[in-house]
Amino acid sequence: MSKAKAEAKAQDARLASAADLEALRQRLIQDQDPDRPEIIVCHGTGCLANGSPEVAEALKKAIKASGLDAKVVPGIKATGCHGFCSRGPLVVVRPQGLFYQRVQASDVDEIVQTTLVEGQAVERLLYKDPVSKEAITLEQDIPFYKHQKRVVLRNIGKVDPTDINDTIARGGYLALAKALFAMTPEQVVAEVEKSGLRGRGGAGFPTGRKWKSALAAIKKKGRPVYVVVNGDEGDPGAFMDRTIMEGDPHAVLEGLILGAYALGAHQGFLYVRAEYPVAIKHLTIAMEQARALGLLGENILGSGFSFDVQVNRGAGAFVCGESTALFTSIEGRAGEPKPKYVRSVEEGLWGRPTVLNNVETWANVPQIIENGSEWFAGLGAPNSTGTKVFSLVGKVNNVGLVEVPMGIPLKEIVETLGGGVPGGEPFKAVQTGGPSGGCLPYSLKDTPVDFDSLTKAGSMMGSGGMIVMDRRDCVVDIARYFLRFLEEESCGKCIPCRLGIQRMREMCDGFSRGEGSEADIAELKSLARAIQDGSLCALGGSSPNPVLTTLQYFEDEYLAHIRDHKCPAGVCKALITYSIDRDKCTGCMACARACPQKCISGQKKKPHAIDAARCIRCGICMESCKFQAVQVQ
Amino acid sequence: MVSFKINGQAVQAEPGWTVLETARHHGIHIPTLCYHEAVEASGACRLCVVEVKQGDWSKIVISCMYPVAEGIEILTESERVKNVRRWILEMLLAECPGSKDIRELAAQYGVNSTRFTPHHPDEQCILCGLCVRVCKEVVGVNAISTVGRGVHKKIGSPYMEPSEACVACGSCVTVCPTGAMRARIDAVRGEPKVQLAPQAK
């Protein structure tokens, strides 16, 4: 090689072949010292909010001050979300995998001294099993992690999402190299189809079949064809896609490039809601680093295939998660859906064939290509292959993000991984599938969590939000909450959705005040069916689901509101009264001090009383009472 | 030609026709509000819903956009269709109590009263968007658009101020199915240069 050529090559860091990628990977692996400790500080949203950057900063200082031998000075790595959000900020010490929870900056001196210098675990920072009360030292032994199957999340919490080398060392872009040099585009489509992968965004449409029909449309209409990532996650309480984009942006990118290769697309779009600034930042960094290495852009890995991608920020409309509305938004118009009598694989962005998949769907693709469709089809349930990421929120001990094989029973997610409801009683219901999903009662706790079983039960998989409710949650109130959300988020184009959701909400508002009759419940069901049938898009069409499923499984609770003017859960303000149990009250004054209305009277060490006429039923007294003396009826 | 059935009656359509076009061609009535031959269909009012049956599955679609297909069976008066229609009309009675046209249309389908409380007693607009589409597609000036989202949505010119773009052609008033645009056009075109003919009562 001439000198000039060598210089040009040194300037150009682009990998020119699959062998180059493999060589880089080997070099990166060799550079790693497996015995060198590494401290991982979770920088997921929950941990960030709880002060993980301060913990990381304090760790750096403390390590410097400790005078540790340079050979054992640990690297400190900020990673994406580990999932166990209720225990954050989380710190993991490798290679052992010591798991420290709720770590504050003030704890780091002890971590450095005890763990790094003396090689012992800091007992008081370990996770304690709520049942056995025993401390668990290692991350992989904690029930929350032990029962997970991390496929999509395999890199999250392990790699630094802002450093492509970290991902490459763990096998990133190997699937791309395999597809580009050892597979035809048709083989990639066939592999995805054989894997049985179904869309993770909600409807569960088979991904391979979608890609195949796009190929048929391309045959008819020619190219260009576009590939799009739907990162407009908007369900209340859902943060699966956010975590993937923030914690492992290269998995999404690699999946998208694979899809582009399979379909012959040269331009892709990442549609991410603007409320996810970290996701946008990490994706943008990932794109720049991938371009610099020749993994994105012109002539990828020297294969002759070119593809590039851009980020489009959504301005925060829930409806833009709907495919046709998402397209109009990317095209620069108001995000309103269009009737889908011609599918978007034929007429999508700018009227061209377009394949739109959800973030988690795309992130599954590299592993299907790398490990083969049979491996993937062996995970999960027969008609719902693979794993699914769920965000577990509400009345559950272990709030966070879990990934499990499809088809596991609902109660295993809520009780084994989620640690059950605080207080130990069984859950009352679980809302799956976000506002468009449904409310499953405890009696359906054995329902396998897969696409078909959830749909059969009247709910849906949705994108994977799971909201756990206990006996203090009122189903009428839940229905009102979701209806209010959808009423605000309806684009207003079609009448059944714009007016229907509002009117359903008004009817439920009436129930929550004890108004209405059994005939009104029947009429509400009729209106719900009209909205399901008549709405333009899935937002409106699925909007009655929370109402219909709560009516299906908890009609008695609705009737209690209407007939007996009672809210059994003690939530609907017009129907409840707070009182103090004179036998339990110790006269500690805690409730009287907390009451914003100052309507609790009584002397110290003597039972208190609530003036019902002035009470605004905020429930603060109940929360402040340590003796369960405040009752609600 | 494409052959299929509407309410049991055999009909034929040119390829590319919609169900609504075919029905009208054969004199079968389907009510509409946001449909007009002069502009592209948008599927907003949902009043033209029909039930389409193919084998043992059926679904509700809007006839103004659903393309015809060989062998399908269309029902324009099935229970599901009537249920969608009655709720739309009942909700519209409360949404635009000021519109005589809506009251008459609802009465035709047996909806004479509404259980819902009107939010704006004088409102006439149903937000079908015909005015916006005609202004864009036929007149080509884009003087008006929908503004806002969901229940807060409105029709208007930018910032709700008189628009320089408006040529005061009155096309929006002509296509408006409820008479709402007649009351609104002066806000769009500014100082009226031409008086509109008195509205027939």
Side-chain angles (χ1 to χ4, degrees):
Chain A
M1 199 185 292
S2 76
K3 202 179 159 197
K5 246 185 174 173
E7 270 173 7
K9 192 168 163 82
Q11 275 176 6
D12 188 358
R14 295 205 306 171
L15 307 167
S17 66
D20 277 5
L21 175 67
E22 184 55 26
L24 171 64
R25 192 168 81 90
Q26 292 303 337
R27 207 165 61 233
L28 291 168
I29 292 171
Q30 271 167 21
D31 287 350
Q32 289 171 351
D33 177 358
D35 300 325
R36 187 180 168 211
E38 184 177 55
I39 301 185
I40 287 175
V41 184
C42 177
H43 276 52
T45 306
C47 289
L48 276 178
N50 280 316
S52 61
E54 289 80 9
V55 173
E57 207 43 53
L59 268 169
K60 273 181 208 160
K61 276 193 197 143
I63 288 167
K64 212 172 168 190
S66 71
L68 278 172
D69 190 326
K71 269 189 200 156
V72 291
V73 166
I76 295 172
K77 195 190 271 183
T79 67
C81 177
H82 289 230
F84 208 174
C85 306
S86 55
R87 294 277 150 184
L90 306 175
V91 169
V92 178
V93 185
R94 292 186 186 279
Q96 309 94 311
L98 288 175
F99 183 84
Y100 293 142
Q101 45 135 30
R102 297 200 175 144
V103 180
Q104 293 301 321
S106 53
D107 298 323
V108 302
D109 286 336
E110 198 176 342
I111 295 178
V112 171
Q113 182 58 33
T114 312
T115 305
L116 296 180
V117 179
E118 296 164 20
Q120 300 294 318
V122 182
E123 283 286 328
R124 64 179 184 86
L125 294 174
L126 294 176
Y127 173 76
K128 284 181 191 62
D129 190 293
V131 183
S132 68
K133 309 284 176 209
E134 271 175 44
I136 301 175
T137 316
L138 300 181
E139 185 178 16
Q140 70 259 29
D141 295 335
I142 294 170
F144 181 79
Y145 290 109
K146 201 161 88 182
H147 299 281
Q148 290 195 44
K149 172 81 190 162
R150 289 167 85 94
V151 171
V152 174
L153 303 179
R154 78 192 193 286
N155 284 337
I156 299 177
K158 304 210 164 54
V159 300
D160 175 354
T162 59
D163 180 4
I164 192 171
N165 286 339
D166 220 13
T167 303
I168 289 178
R170 284 183 61 86
Y173 293 99
L174 281 186
L176 178 64
K178 179 178 174 184
L180 288 176
F181 297 103
M183 294 170 84
T184 64
E186 292 75 20
Q187 282 172 324
V188 174
V189 176
E191 204 63 19
V192 171
E193 192 179 21
K194 271 192 286 180
S195 75
L197 175 67
R198 292 172 69 172
R200 292 332 193 210
F205 192 83
T207 309
R209 205 197 301 166
K210 188 188 268 185
W211 292 16
K212 240 176 143 175
S213 16
L215 283 181
I218 294 163
K219 230 176 214 167
K220 226 164 55 184
K221 298 181 69 168
R223 292 194 167 83
V225 49
Y226 299 111
V227 284
V228 185
V229 177
N230 186 348
D232 194 54
E233 180 176 58
D235 290 358
F239 47 99
M240 298 77 55
D241 295 345
R242 168 193 205 140
T243 299
I244 296 168
M245 291 187 285
E246 288 181 0
D248 194 6
H250 289 288
V252 184
L253 262 191
E254 189 182 357
L256 187 67
I257 304 169
L258 282 164
Y261 171 70
L263 299 160
H266 300 296
Q267 179 65 51
F269 299 87
L270 292 154
Y271 190 86
V272 187
R273 59 188 300 197
E275 291 95 327
Y276 284 179
V278 180
I280 291 168
K281 187 176 147 204
H282 287 186
L283 284 166
T284 309
I285 293 172
M287 281 155 53
E288 282 165 7
Q289 294 182 343
R291 265 188 218 113
L293 284 180
L295 294 163
L296 184 68
E298 292 290 312
N299 194 14
I300 294 173
L301 283 177
S303 66
F305 172 68
S306 301
F307 171 73
D308 216 329
V309 59
Q310 71 176 61
V311 173
N312 283 68
R313 285 181 305 161
F318 181 68
V319 72
C320 287
E322 202 278 342
S323 60
T324 53
L326 188 152
F327 296 147
T328 49
S329 174
I330 291 182
E331 289 167 10
R333 293 179 282 130
E336 285 181 2
K338 290 184 281 194
K340 273 204 274 197
Y341 299 135
V342 182
R343 292 166 308 163
S344 56
V345 289
E346 288 177 42
E347 241 173 69
L349 260 184
W350 293 289
R352 302 301 314 168
T354 304
V355 165
L356 173 75
N357 283 124
N358 156 272
V359 168
E360 193 182 332
T361 316
W362 285 117
N364 265 302
V365 173
Q367 303 215 50
I368 292 171
I369 299 304
E370 195 182 332
N371 303 322
S373 57
E374 270 175 35
W375 163 80
F376 189 85
L379 299 170
N383 218 1
S384 298
T385 55
T387 59
K388 179 79 193 79
V389 183
F390 293 100
S391 60
L392 206 51
V393 296
K395 306 283 179 62
V396 61
N397 277 309
N398 303 339
V399 166
L401 200 73
V402 298
E403 182 176 357
V404 291
M406 291 239 222
I408 81 166
L410 183 62
K411 73 159 187 255
E412 207 174 313
I413 300 182
V414 177
E415 290 173 359
T416 312
L417 286 102
V421 171
E425 35 179 292
F427 64 86
K428 174 179 179 176
V430 178
Q431 172 84 14
T432 72
S436 319
C439 212
L440 301 179
Y442 185 71
S443 59
L444 293 179
K445 61 186 185 303
D446 296 317
T447 307
V449 178
D450 60 54
F451 287 108
D452 306 326
S453 306
L454 289 180
T455 308
K456 218 172 108 193
S459 181
M460 64 185 221
M461 178 73 82
S463 57
M466 265 193 194
I467 303 172
V468 182
M469 300 167 213
D470 69 2
R471 65 180 175 86
R472 291 272 292 139
D473 289 305
C474 165
V475 291
V476 178
D477 192 60
I478 296 293
R480 288 172 65 213
Y481 168 80
F482 285 119
L483 289 173
R484 261 200 310 273
F485 173 82
L486 292 167
E487 180 182 342
E488 267 310 305
E489 292 297 340
S490 165
C491 82
K493 180 171 175 176
C494 80
I495 291 172
C497 174
R498 184 181 76 238
L499 303 181
I501 296 175
Q502 184 184 45
R503 296 306 184 181
M504 281 198 297
R505 196 258 305 152
E506 287 175 0
M507 287 167 101
C508 289
D509 284 353
F511 299 157
S512 78
R513 293 188 298 264
E515 297 159 9
S517 64
E518 283 174 54
D520 287 329
I521 291 186
E523 285 292 273
L524 175 61
K525 286 182 189 168
S526 166
L527 171 58
R529 276 194 298 275
I531 295 169
Q532 282 180 325
D533 276 343
S535 292
L536 197 165
C537 80
L539 189 159
S542 58
S543 65
N545 287 358
V547 177
L548 289 174
T549 51
T550 48
L551 275 172
Q552 183 181 349
Y553 297 117
F554 299 96
E555 187 155 354
D556 284 351
E557 206 172 318
Y558 277 83
L559 291 174
H561 285 74
I562 297 166
R563 241 178 4 211
D564 314 330
H565 306 287
K566 288 225 153 55
C567 174
V571 174
C572 296
K573 288 192 177 171
L575 303 178
I576 55 170
T577 38
Y578 282 92
S579 61
I580 292 174
D581 183 337
R582 295 181 62 87
D583 295 336
K584 285 186 182 165
C585 179
T586 61
C588 72
M589 310 277 303
C591 58
R593 274 194 300 272
C595 175
Q597 285 293 91
K598 300 288 169 224
C599 68
I600 301 179
S601 56
Q603 290 170 354
K604 232 178 201 173
K605 300 198 174 156
K606 290 203 175 132
H608 296 350
I610 299 173
D611 178 0
R614 282 165 57 219
C615 173
I616 55 168
R617 303 172 190 94
C618 65
I620 289 175
C621 51
M622 198 174 200
E623 284 166 27
S624 64
C625 180
K626 291 194 180 89
F627 309 98
Q628 280 90 46
V630 181
Q631 304 164 319
V632 59
Q633 270 176 334
Chain B
M1 295 298 268
V2 182
S3 303
F4 63 103
K5 278 184 181 161
I6 301 181
N7 299 337
Q9 176 188 340
V11 291
Q12 288 203 313
E14 297 284 349
W17 278 13
T18 63
V19 168
L20 181 66
E21 281 169 324
T22 316
R24 292 206 166 159
H25 182 79
H26 289 85
I28 300 162
H29 180 69
I30 297 173
T32 59
L33 278 169
C34 74
Y35 176 81
H36 196 285
E37 295 84 343
V39 291
E40 266 186 47
S42 90
C45 79
R46 322 300 287 178
L47 206 61
C48 71
V49 287
V50 294
E51 187 167 353
V52 50
K53 284 193 153 185
Q54 206 165 13
D56 51 5
W57 101 183
S58 86
K59 63 175 174 181
I60 298 288
V61 300
I62 45 167
S63 58
C64 68
M65 292 183 83
Y66 196 76
V68 295
E70 191 69 34
I72 55 172
E73 229 186 300
I74 300 289
L75 302 174
T76 69
E77 299 295 328
S78 73
E79 283 309 312
R80 278 174 80 186
V81 169
K82 285 197 277 194
N83 190 49
V84 175
R85 212 183 273 156
R86 100 167 154 111
W87 281 106
I88 289 177
L89 291 169
E90 188 175 335
M91 290 193 292
L92 283 181
L93 279 184
E95 188 61 16
C96 33
S99 170
K100 185 165 152 277
D101 298 287
I102 292 294
R103 280 197 303 276
E104 285 173 2
L105 179 69
Q108 273 177 39
Y109 288 91
V111 180
N112 294 303
S113 64
T114 179
R115 79 197 70 196
F116 302 118
T117 318
H119 300 121
H120 306 286
D122 302 322
E123 186 57 76
Q124 289 182 292
C125 176
I126 60 163
L127 285 166
C128 70
L130 258 181
C131 50
V132 173
R133 280 177 282 149
V134 80
C135 190
K136 177 186 176 183
E137 295 173 32
V138 179
V139 189
V141 299
N142 287 304
I144 47 173
S145 69
T146 58
V147 180
R149 188 169 80 192
V151 289
H152 312 294
K153 203 167 201 163
K154 282 185 286 205
I155 301 282
S157 44
Y159 306 106
M160 295 296 169
E161 282 173 9
S163 164
E164 289 287 311
C166 177
V167 294
C169 67
S171 301
C172 50
V173 178
T174 313
V175 293
C176 178
T178 66
M181 208 57 212
R182 170 174 276 276
R184 211 157 289 191
I185 186 169
D186 288 346
V188 174
R189 67 177 177 171
E191 196 60 29
K193 295 175 187 74
V194 187
Q195 290 298 321
L196 298 176
Q199 188 174 13
K201 288 278 169 188

